[in-house]
Amino acid sequence: MALVKVCERLAQTRQIVVHQRARQSLDEVVAGVRYAGFDVKRPLANEAATIVVINSWKVALKLARSHPEARVLCWLHVFPGRHNRSFAAELKAADIQIVCVSKTHADWLRQFLGAEAPSIRFIYNPIADHLAPDDTPRDPDLLLFASSPHKGLGQVFRRFEALRERFPHLKLAVADPGYLAWPTGRVPAGIRPLGRLEHSDLIGWMRRALCLFAPQDEFAETFGLVIAEANAVGCPGLLQRGLGANDEVASDSGQCIDTSDPEMIAERIANWRTAEPASPSAQARPDFRLSSVTAQWSALLGGRPLQPVRPEPSRTHPERIAS
């Protein structure tokens, strides 16, 4: 979703082509962005001014070799494994810059790679410019988990079950994007499974929920888009302090606590329950707004912006995204 939003905004002034390895259908243009297939064994069909590769350092290096005239960036959304360290010197030699999604992410990567690290910077993932609180009242008994279950949902269940002994009317709605099955252990009472939701529906649940409930210390986010979006509509997150980018993304430090302490969880929930239902308990970070994020991408791409891509675009120097 971050890639699509950024590309659609950049396509207003540049030619943007997104190459997808899994694409089986014909090329198509959606909201000004051309989507095309991708075979890593073959060079791209047309000359590219800039190539942005999603996550894969191997693919970035291959494309840098097959397109020596192009600038190659790697847009990193994950914490790489130890095997990736062996590519660091090659990335540096090929002048491939890594773009992380938070300062926390970038600082971690520099430490992880050490002296062999290539150039590393960060640009946040975007939230919509228009996301803001409205007059939807918050349900003091409704908590929301909005992530894949591998992101600590089993631990969240256990801590919700303990919290419910204090507040027996609490319910936990669980929105699961559905791309990964994951064991979570016994499902406690008070759980309301929502399954996969349209984005607008998820935002609606964020508006109604007392908080985004994620008291887990097992999975670290490089950014945490659901935290940023929830905060933007006034919904705070109950998050583990010091885990991944939680402290950086949460709009205030009160959202990050020691979630291994049930008393601290109960105290924070009690405080939010006493707040005025129509009053936002969090706020948007301006530097996460799509307009700010795409301005940074535009500056990074540099050069003279091109005309928007049309159904039959010209073949001159498009920006390329390989995923």
Side-chain angles (χ1 to χ4, degrees):
M1 186 170 64
L3 180 148
V4 169
K5 287 183 176 180
V6 168
C7 287
E8 287 182 355
R9 184 64 66 90
L10 291 175
Q12 295 175 10
T13 56
R14 301 172 181 272
Q15 292 180 11
I16 303 290
V17 182
V18 176
H19 290 274
Q20 299 168 300
R21 183 156 43 184
R23 170 170 284 272
Q24 297 179 352
S25 58
L26 297 175
D27 292 11
E28 59 182 326
V29 176
V30 180
V33 180
R34 176 168 290 277
Y35 292 87
F38 176 55
D39 184 350
V40 70
K41 297 178 181 179
R42 299 180 180 179
L44 300 175
N46 302 304
E47 185 179 0
T50 304
I51 301 171
V52 183
V53 179
I54 306 301
N55 288 333
S56 177
W57 296 359
K58 281 185 178 180
V59 172
L61 287 165
K62 287 182 179 180
L63 289 176
R65 288 192 289 267
S66 59
H67 295 272
E69 77 291 345
R71 179 189 185 193
V72 179
L73 310 171
C74 184
W75 190 4
L76 191 66
H77 293 253
V78 298
F79 290 109
R82 286 177 294 178
H83 66 282
N84 290 93
R85 281 198 181 103
S86 61
F87 297 113
E90 292 181 73
L91 292 172
K92 188 174 184 178
D95 198 25
I96 296 173
Q97 184 177 90
I98 297 178
V99 182
C100 294
V101 293
S102 66
K103 182 179 184 299
T104 301
H105 188 201
D107 289 346
W108 179 92
L109 187 63
R110 291 188 189 97
Q111 184 175 5
F112 175 76
L113 295 178
E116 298 296 333
S119 174
I120 297 170
R121 62 175 297 156
F122 72 91
I123 300 177
Y124 289 123
N125 281 334
I127 62 173
D129 288 336
H130 67 269
L131 271 185
D134 61 14
D135 57 359
T136 303
R138 298 200 177 276
D139 181 346
D141 291 328
L142 176 63
L143 313 180
L144 174 66
F145 179 88
S147 292
S148 177
H150 75 286
K151 298 184 178 183
L153 181 55
Q155 195 173 52
V156 169
F157 278 166
R158 305 286 78 79
R159 292 176 177 177
F160 171 72
E161 189 172 37
L163 178 64
R164 205 163 185 261
E165 294 178 2
R166 293 281 196 93
F167 306 100
H169 297 294
L170 286 181
K171 48 192 178 290
L172 175 62
V174 177
D176 178 356
Y179 58 76
L180 181 65
W182 196 264
T184 59
R186 179 177 52 81
V187 178
I191 300 301
R192 178 173 179 178
L194 303 177
R196 182 177 180 178
L197 299 175
E198 293 295 328
H199 185 251
S200 59
D201 293 331
L202 177 60
I203 296 299
W205 280 94
M206 289 176 174
R207 294 188 186 281
R208 295 192 295 275
L210 179 71
C211 73
L212 193 70
F213 190 71
Q216 60 84 26
D217 54 20
E218 298 174 340
F219 186 92
E221 294 278 10
T222 54
F223 179 70
L225 185 61
V226 294
I227 302 169
E229 290 186 325
N231 280 193
V233 297
C235 178
L238 196 147
L239 313 167
Q240 173 61 43
R241 182 190 301 132
L243 180 68
N246 284 354
D247 299 78
E248 183 178 359
V249 174
S251 64
D252 64 86
S253 59
Q255 298 178 54
C256 299
I257 64 173
D258 177 4
T259 60
S260 68
D261 185 344
E263 295 296 326
M264 194 169 288
I265 292 176
E267 178 183 355
R268 194 54 42 89
I269 293 296
N271 288 342
W272 285 332
R273 281 166 61 87
T274 60
E276 172 61 40
S279 299
S281 298
Q283 59 186 349
R285 285 270 303 275
D287 42 351
F288 298 163
R289 294 295 191 187
L290 179 61
S291 53
S292 174
V293 169
T294 51
Q296 292 181 66
W297 272 107
S298 186
L300 177 60
L301 293 174
R304 183 175 61 86
L306 302 175
Q307 294 301 310
V309 66
R310 305 181 189 281
E312 293 295 332
S314 68
R315 300 296 184 181
T316 57
H317 303 290
E319 262 70 43
R320 301 281 176 164
I321 311 288
S323 65

Short mmCIF file of all heavy atoms in Angstrom, two decimals, residues 100 102-112 120 122 248:
data_model
loop_
_atom_site.label_atom_id
_atom_site.label_comp_id
_atom_site.label_asym_id
_atom_site.label_seq_id
_atom_site.Cartn_x
_atom_site.Cartn_y
_atom_site.Cartn_z
N CYS A 100 15.56 3.24 4.18
CA CYS A 100 14.79 2.59 5.24
C CYS A 100 13.49 3.35 5.47
O CYS A 100 13.27 4.41 4.89
CB CYS A 100 15.62 2.53 6.52
SG CYS A 100 17.09 1.47 6.40
N SER A 102 12.23 4.22 8.65
CA SER A 102 12.22 5.02 9.88
C SER A 102 13.66 5.27 10.29
O SER A 102 14.60 4.58 9.82
CB SER A 102 11.48 4.30 11.01
OG SER A 102 12.17 3.12 11.41
N LYS A 103 13.88 6.25 11.15
CA LYS A 103 15.22 6.51 11.67
C LYS A 103 15.69 5.33 12.50
O LYS A 103 16.87 4.94 12.44
CB LYS A 103 15.23 7.79 12.50
CG LYS A 103 16.61 8.16 13.04
CD LYS A 103 16.56 9.45 13.84
CE LYS A 103 17.96 9.86 14.29
NZ LYS A 103 18.60 8.84 15.16
N THR A 104 14.78 4.75 13.28
CA THR A 104 15.12 3.57 14.08
C THR A 104 15.64 2.46 13.18
O THR A 104 16.65 1.81 13.48
CB THR A 104 13.88 3.08 14.85
OG1 THR A 104 13.42 4.12 15.70
CG2 THR A 104 14.21 1.85 15.68
N HIS A 105 14.95 2.23 12.08
CA HIS A 105 15.32 1.20 11.11
C HIS A 105 16.71 1.49 10.53
O HIS A 105 17.57 0.61 10.46
CB HIS A 105 14.25 1.19 10.01
CG HIS A 105 14.36 0.07 9.04
ND1 HIS A 105 13.79 0.14 7.78
CD2 HIS A 105 14.94 -1.16 9.11
CE1 HIS A 105 14.02 -0.99 7.14
NE2 HIS A 105 14.71 -1.79 7.92
N ALA A 106 16.93 2.75 10.12
CA ALA A 106 18.21 3.13 9.51
C ALA A 106 19.35 3.02 10.52
O ALA A 106 20.44 2.52 10.19
CB ALA A 106 18.13 4.55 8.97
N ASP A 107 19.14 3.46 11.76
CA ASP A 107 20.18 3.37 12.78
C ASP A 107 20.53 1.91 13.06
O ASP A 107 21.71 1.56 13.22
CB ASP A 107 19.71 4.05 14.07
CG ASP A 107 19.64 5.56 13.95
OD1 ASP A 107 20.20 6.11 12.98
OD2 ASP A 107 19.02 6.20 14.82
N TRP A 108 19.50 1.07 13.14
CA TRP A 108 19.73 -0.36 13.37
C TRP A 108 20.56 -0.96 12.24
O TRP A 108 21.50 -1.74 12.47
CB TRP A 108 18.40 -1.10 13.49
CG TRP A 108 18.55 -2.58 13.71
CD1 TRP A 108 18.60 -3.23 14.91
CD2 TRP A 108 18.71 -3.59 12.70
NE1 TRP A 108 18.76 -4.58 14.71
CE2 TRP A 108 18.83 -4.83 13.36
CE3 TRP A 108 18.75 -3.57 11.31
CZ2 TRP A 108 18.99 -6.03 12.68
CZ3 TRP A 108 18.92 -4.76 10.62
CH2 TRP A 108 19.03 -5.97 11.30
N LEU A 109 20.23 -0.61 10.99
CA LEU A 109 20.92 -1.19 9.84
C LEU A 109 22.38 -0.75 9.79
O LEU A 109 23.26 -1.57 9.47
CB LEU A 109 20.19 -0.79 8.56
CG LEU A 109 20.70 -1.47 7.28
CD1 LEU A 109 20.51 -2.98 7.36
CD2 LEU A 109 20.00 -0.91 6.05
N ARG A 110 22.65 0.50 10.12
CA ARG A 110 24.05 0.95 10.14
C ARG A 110 24.85 0.16 11.15
O ARG A 110 26.00 -0.25 10.89
CB ARG A 110 24.11 2.44 10.46
CG ARG A 110 23.57 3.34 9.37
CD ARG A 110 23.84 4.81 9.67
NE ARG A 110 23.14 5.67 8.74
CZ ARG A 110 21.97 6.24 8.98
NH1 ARG A 110 21.41 6.08 10.18
NH2 ARG A 110 21.38 6.99 8.08
N GLN A 111 24.29 -0.08 12.31
CA GLN A 111 24.98 -0.86 13.33
C GLN A 111 25.13 -2.32 12.90
O GLN A 111 26.17 -2.94 13.12
CB GLN A 111 24.22 -0.78 14.66
CG GLN A 111 24.93 -1.48 15.81
CD GLN A 111 24.22 -1.27 17.13
OE1 GLN A 111 23.15 -0.68 17.19
NE2 GLN A 111 24.82 -1.76 18.20
N PHE A 112 24.10 -2.86 12.26
CA PHE A 112 24.10 -4.24 11.80
C PHE A 112 25.18 -4.48 10.75
O PHE A 112 25.88 -5.50 10.78
CB PHE A 112 22.71 -4.56 11.22
CG PHE A 112 22.58 -5.91 10.59
CD1 PHE A 112 22.47 -7.05 11.36
CD2 PHE A 112 22.52 -6.05 9.20
CE1 PHE A 112 22.32 -8.31 10.78
CE2 PHE A 112 22.38 -7.29 8.61
CZ PHE A 112 22.27 -8.42 9.41
N ILE A 120 22.98 4.92 3.65
CA ILE A 120 21.68 4.56 4.23
C ILE A 120 20.95 5.84 4.63
O ILE A 120 21.54 6.70 5.29
CB ILE A 120 21.84 3.65 5.46
CG1 ILE A 120 22.51 2.32 5.06
CG2 ILE A 120 20.49 3.38 6.12
CD1 ILE A 120 22.92 1.47 6.26
N PHE A 122 16.56 7.36 5.41
CA PHE A 122 15.21 6.87 5.65
C PHE A 122 14.19 7.88 5.14
O PHE A 122 14.42 9.09 5.12
CB PHE A 122 14.96 6.59 7.14
CG PHE A 122 14.84 7.81 8.01
CD1 PHE A 122 13.59 8.39 8.25
CD2 PHE A 122 15.96 8.39 8.60
CE1 PHE A 122 13.48 9.52 9.06
CE2 PHE A 122 15.85 9.51 9.40
CZ PHE A 122 14.60 10.08 9.64
N GLU A 248 9.28 5.84 18.05
CA GLU A 248 9.43 6.87 17.03
C GLU A 248 8.11 7.18 16.34
O GLU A 248 7.83 8.34 16.01
CB GLU A 248 10.46 6.40 15.98
CG GLU A 248 10.75 7.41 14.90
CD GLU A 248 11.80 6.93 13.91
OE1 GLU A 248 12.32 5.81 14.08
OE2 GLU A 248 12.09 7.67 12.96
#
